[in-house]
Amino acid sequence: AENNFSVHQLAQEMRISRTQLYLLLKKITDLTPTDFIIKVKLDYAKTLLKDPSFSISEIAYKLGYSNANYFSKQFKDFFGITPSHYRKAK
């Protein structure tokens, strides 16, 4: 997995400018490009959380977070629930 995927790289991959990317993503998803990249990572985290063989720290590091607490905070900010509560609910 690409842990440090940036807005610049996403714009290059889509062959549009960063400004065009911002306008397009904001229109389609109502997210900024940075938030869109974070949401994609966190959506993948939901999949990984269904596998109990991965600890939450392992999932955080797998997604490129160097701090599991920051991962948990972003997850809760996006989904309104902590990764551990999400895991228990599934």
Side-chain angles (χ1 to χ4, degrees), residues 8-89:
H8 177 74
Q9 286 173 287
L10 182 57
Q12 279 186 319
E13 291 287 328
M14 294 188 67
R15 297 184 177 15
I16 58 177
S17 72
R18 289 174 60 178
T19 302
Q20 288 173 309
L21 176 66
Y22 179 89
L23 294 171
L24 181 67
L25 281 176
K26 194 71 175 159
K27 181 179 177 182
I28 294 171
T29 66
D30 201 33
L31 296 171
T32 66
T34 300
D35 286 343
F36 178 78
I37 290 169
I38 292 168
K39 184 172 183 320
V40 169
K41 283 183 175 185
L42 296 176
D43 282 340
Y44 182 52
K46 284 180 169 182
T47 301
L48 296 175
L49 285 164
K50 293 174 186 171
D51 182 347
S53 68
F54 293 118
S55 72
I56 290 173
S57 292
E58 286 174 314
I59 292 169
Y61 297 127
K62 190 180 225 10
L63 296 174
Y65 289 89
S66 57
N67 182 323
N69 289 333
Y70 184 63
F71 161 71
S72 293
K73 180 192 177 320
Q74 277 199 323
F75 191 95
K76 185 173 183 186
D77 288 349
F78 266 85
F79 301 123
I81 188 171
T82 63
S84 56
H85 283 111
Y86 179 84
R87 173 173 268 170
K88 287 176 190 165

